Amino acid sequence: MSSSIPMTELVVSMAPQSTVHSVTYDLLRTLELTTVFGNPGSTEQPFLQEFPDDFTYVLALQEASVIAMADAFAQVTRRPALVNVHSSAGLGNSLGNLVAAYHGNTPLILTSGQQHREMVIGDPYLGNREATTMPKPWVKWSYEPARAEDVPNAFMRAYALALQPPAGPVYLSIPLDDWKRPLAGPARLRTVSRRALPDEQRLRHFADRISASSRPALVFGPEVDRSGGWHAAIALAEKLRAAVYGAPLLDRASFPEDHPLFGGPLGISIKAISDRLAGHDLVVVIGGEAFRYYPYVSGDYLPAGTDLLQITANPEVAAAARMGDSLLGDTKTAIDRLLELVADGAARNTPTPMARPRRLPPTPSRPLTPAEVYASLSKARPLDAVIVNESTSTMAQQIEWLPTVNPGSFFATASGGIGWGTPAAVGVALADRESGVSRPVIGLIGDGSFQYSVQAIWTAAQHKLPIAYVVMRNNEYSILKSFAELEETPGVPGLDLPGIDIASVARGFGCHAVDVDTTEDLEREFTQALTADSTTVIVVSTQPQKAAL
C-alpha cells in the first residue's frame, strides 16, 4: 500500500542584497551626512534613487548657490556637508563658490555623477572629461574610484581629508552604474583628529617674545572663530592689554567689535596695513593670513622696528606670508597655551579703542546714505542675530553701526567673489534649525551681489526660513567704481545697474518683499521681518558709497 506525503511549500525570506548604494548610505548615515545639498542631473539620479526618509535633500536652483548653502551650513554645524551637483556642467557652475569654501577651510564633500563606465572611453554626451582635474586647485583631494566597490571607501577617505586640518572641500566623481553593483557591507569606518598641536618649544619662544613686547598688536583671523577660540582670544588680549585689529577682508569675525581693545579694521592694502601698525613693536597674527591684500598700493610690508609672529593651522597660509616667523598648530589650542605662558601686561598703556564717529545727516537723505540704513537697523537688531554680509562697499559702516559681538555670528565670502552671501544666509538658517537654535538671520546684500544668486531665495521661501534680507539698491557696482578711481581707469563700462525691480523678483520666488526709502519704513519692515516665520526681502534705496580701500 502506498501512501503519499503532502509536500509543504517552503517560503524563504531573503534579505535584499547589499549594493554600493545601500552600503554607502549606511556609511553616510553613520557619519551624520544626512543632509544633501544639490541640483540633480541625469547622471546623479542613481545616487538619489529611493532617497531615504531619514535624509534631507535641499534643492537649490543653481549649483553656485548649492555650494554656498552647504558652505555656511557646514561652518555653523561644525561638521562636513554633503553636496551633489551634475557632471561637468553643474560642477562648472559651482566653481566660483567652491573657491570661497577652499579659502574658508570649509569641510565639504562635493560629488557629481559620471557617465556609464562602458561609455566613458567614447567621450559620451554629459560625460565629465578629466573629471578629477576640473575642480583643481580648489579641493584638497579629487578622485574617481577605479572600481565600483571602492565607492564607500572613497567617501570615508573624503570625509577624513575634508575634516583634517586645514579643513577644506574634497571631490568625488562617481560613474552612474556603480550604485547598483552588489557589494558586501558594511563599509570600514574610521575616525580622525581635527586638531594638530603646536610645537611646544616654539610656542614658548613666541610667548617670551610677546611678553617682552612693549606695545603688541593682535590680529585674530577667521581660524580663531572656526576653532572655537573666541573667548580665549578675548582673555589673551585682556591679559596682554594689547590692541586688537580686524583681519583684512575677514570672512569670520573672531573678536567682539565693541570691545574697548578693538582698534577697528586693519586695512586691505600693503600701505594701509603698514601705516595702521605704526608704533607697534610686535604684531601677532593668530588664525589668519599675514595678510590678505587687495588692491596693490605700494608701501613697506611692516613699519620699521616692527616684528611679526604668525600662528596658523594651515601650512599654505604660513608659507605665503611675506614677512615674520610662523608656527603651525590649532589656533584655539595655541591661544589657550599662550594664556598660560605670557606675562601679564598690566603695566602697558591702554590701547586706543576704535573711533566710532557715527555721523548722520542733519535731516534724512533721499536716497538714504548707508550710514542711515545701518543706524536704523542697529535700533532693532537683536544682539544674538547673525549677519551675512555681501554689501562690499559698505562694510566699514556695518562695523561702525552693527559690530559683531558674539562668536559664530558674522559670515562673508572668503574668496572675494560675489554671489555667496544670499545662499549662505540660507545655509546658516538651515543649520540653526537643525541644531535647534533660534536667532535672527540677517542678509546684508548689495543690489549687484543679489543678482548673482537671486534664485537662492526660492529655497529660503520653500523651507519657510525666517531670514531678513536687506538689499541696498544704489543702482551700480559701487565697489568697482571705487576700484576704478583707485586704479585710475576712467570710463569702465558695465558698472551701472538701472531698471531692476528687485522686490517683484523676490515676490516671484515666493518671498514677502517691500521697497522702502525712509528710515521709518525701514525700521518698521525690519522689525516685522525679524519675527516673521518666512523670508522677507527689504529693498532700500541708498546712495552709492565710496569703499574704504
Side-chain angles (χ1 to χ4, degrees):
M1 180 177 178
S2 65
S3 62
S4 61
I5 301 175
M7 300 294 293
T8 302
E9 183 179 352
L10 300 178
V11 178
V12 180
S13 177
M14 299 292 292
Q17 185 179 41
S18 295
T19 62
V20 169
H21 185 275
S22 63
V23 172
T24 300
Y25 268 85
D26 285 343
L27 174 65
L28 296 176
R29 189 175 286 111
T30 302
L31 297 175
E32 299 184 3
L33 294 171
T34 57
T35 299
V36 182
F37 293 85
N39 184 279
S42 55
T43 54
E44 287 70 44
Q45 290 181 357
F47 166 60
L48 299 171
Q49 66 177 344
E50 297 177 357
F51 197 69
D53 292 338
D54 59 330
F55 279 62
T56 300
Y57 188 85
V58 179
L59 173 64
L61 302 184
Q62 207 266 3
E63 291 86 355
S65 291
V66 170
I67 293 286
M69 289 178 193
D71 184 347
F73 182 87
Q75 290 192 54
V76 174
T77 61
R78 298 174 58 80
R79 64 176 190 267
L82 182 58
V83 183
N84 184 239
V85 299
H86 181 42
S87 192
S88 55
L91 180 60
N93 286 339
S94 75
L95 285 179
N97 281 333
L98 186 61
V99 177
Y102 179 84
H103 283 297
N105 297 133
T106 304
L108 297 183
I109 300 174
L110 173 61
T111 65
S112 71
Q114 174 63 289
Q115 261 287 11
H116 196 289
R117 285 183 182 270
E118 186 173 326
M119 297 173 63
V120 169
I121 188 65
D123 196 14
Y125 188 68
L126 294 180
N128 197 349
R129 181 184 296 180
E130 297 189 28
T132 60
T133 301
M134 189 173 183
K136 294 178 179 179
W138 308 116
V139 291
K140 294 177 63 179
W141 184 53
S142 186
Y143 185 66
E144 186 173 283
R147 308 178 304 157
E149 294 82 357
D150 294 332
V151 169
N153 287 335
F155 270 94
M156 188 66 249
R157 181 173 175 181
Y159 179 88
L161 276 169
L163 269 182
Q164 291 178 115
V170 296
Y171 171 70
L172 295 176
S173 169
I174 304 171
L176 63 87
D177 54 312
D178 283 6
W179 295 105
K180 294 183 180 180
R181 289 288 295 272
L183 181 66
R188 289 191 293 271
L189 185 68
R190 303 174 56 242
T191 61
V192 296
S193 173
R194 300 184 65 167
R195 299 184 187 270
L197 295 180
D199 177 83
E200 177 68 14
Q201 182 177 353
R202 190 165 179 82
L203 190 61
R204 286 179 177 273
H205 173 64
F206 275 32
D208 290 342
R209 292 177 64 179
I210 295 169
S211 298
S213 170
S214 61
R215 190 168 178 246
L218 296 173
V219 180
F220 292 117
E223 291 177 30
V224 175
D225 193 44
R226 284 199 295 266
S227 68
W230 174 283
H231 296 293
I234 297 172
L236 180 63
E238 291 176 348
K239 182 174 183 178
L240 292 173
R241 194 177 285 187
V244 179
Y245 295 100
L249 300 165
L250 77 169
D251 52 284
R252 294 279 291 265
S254 292
F255 191 82
E257 294 169 342
D258 62 347
H259 194 284
L261 292 174
F262 183 66
L266 195 55
I268 62 175
S269 71
I270 297 169
K271 184 179 187 305
I273 293 174
S274 181
D275 290 349
R276 198 82 169 87
L277 295 173
H280 293 287
D281 61 336
L282 181 67
V283 179
V284 186
V285 180
I286 303 179
E289 299 171 46
F291 292 100
R292 283 181 178 171
Y293 296 116
Y294 193 84
Y296 176 72
V297 181
S298 63
D300 296 325
Y301 282 96
L302 284 174
T306 303
D307 293 329
L308 184 139
L309 302 176
Q310 179 192 36
I311 301 174
T312 175
N314 192 332
E316 291 185 1
V317 166
R322 303 296 295 272
M323 64 282 174
D325 303 320
S326 65
L327 167 65
L328 288 175
D330 177 69
T331 51
K332 182 182 185 302
T333 303
I335 296 171
D336 288 340
R337 191 73 182 104
L338 283 176
L339 266 170
E340 300 172 358
L341 295 174
V342 297
D344 187 273
R348 294 190 179 103
N349 293 327
T350 302
T352 303
M354 174 186 171
R356 298 181 188 274
R358 293 190 169 179
R359 298 188 184 95
L360 296 174
T363 58
S365 306
R366 288 291 185 94
L368 297 174
T369 65
E372 288 175 294
V373 172
Y374 285 128
S376 297
L377 300 181
S378 70
K379 297 176 182 179
R381 177 194 65 159
L383 290 181
D384 65 339
V386 57
I387 287 177
V388 181
N389 189 312
E390 200 170 286
S391 176
T392 51
S393 62
T394 69
M395 294 189 76
Q397 287 73 34
Q398 185 241 302
I399 293 174
E400 182 179 356
W401 289 96
L402 295 173
T404 301
V405 296
N406 289 310
S409 61
F410 176 85
F411 299 89
T413 177
S415 69
I418 61 177
W420 184 88
T422 303
V426 177
V428 171
L430 285 169
D432 281 353
R433 176 175 288 178
E434 180 173 296
S435 305
V437 174
S438 178
R439 58 177 179 168
V441 178
I442 303 168
L444 303 175
I445 315 293
D447 54 352
S449 294
F450 197 64
Q451 305 314 312
Y452 271 67
S453 50
V454 65
Q455 72 285 129
I457 63 175
W458 177 86
T459 305
Q462 291 295 308
H463 288 265
K464 300 186 185 305
L465 298 176
I467 303 172
Y469 288 106
V470 179
V471 181
M472 283 170 271
R473 185 179 60 201
N474 57 25
N475 299 309
E476 66 178 32
Y477 290 121
S478 188
I479 185 69
L480 295 182
K481 289 192 174 183
S482 296
F483 279 124
E485 183 177 333
L486 176 70
E487 295 165 356
E488 298 180 351
T489 55
V492 175
L495 302 187
D496 293 310
L497 297 171
I500 302 175
D501 189 344
I502 296 173
S504 292
V505 172
R507 284 190 286 269
F509 279 115
C511 299
H512 172 66
V514 292
D515 287 292
V516 300
D517 56 12
T518 68
T519 55
E520 292 80 10
D521 290 346
L522 175 58
E523 290 174 32
R524 183 188 67 253
E525 294 292 344
F526 183 61
T527 300
Q528 292 176 1
L530 292 175
T531 57
D533 58 0
S534 59
T535 304
T536 302
V537 177
I538 303 170
V539 185
V540 52
S541 298
T542 56
Q543 298 178 21
Q545 172 69 48
K546 183 178 179 180
L549 303 178

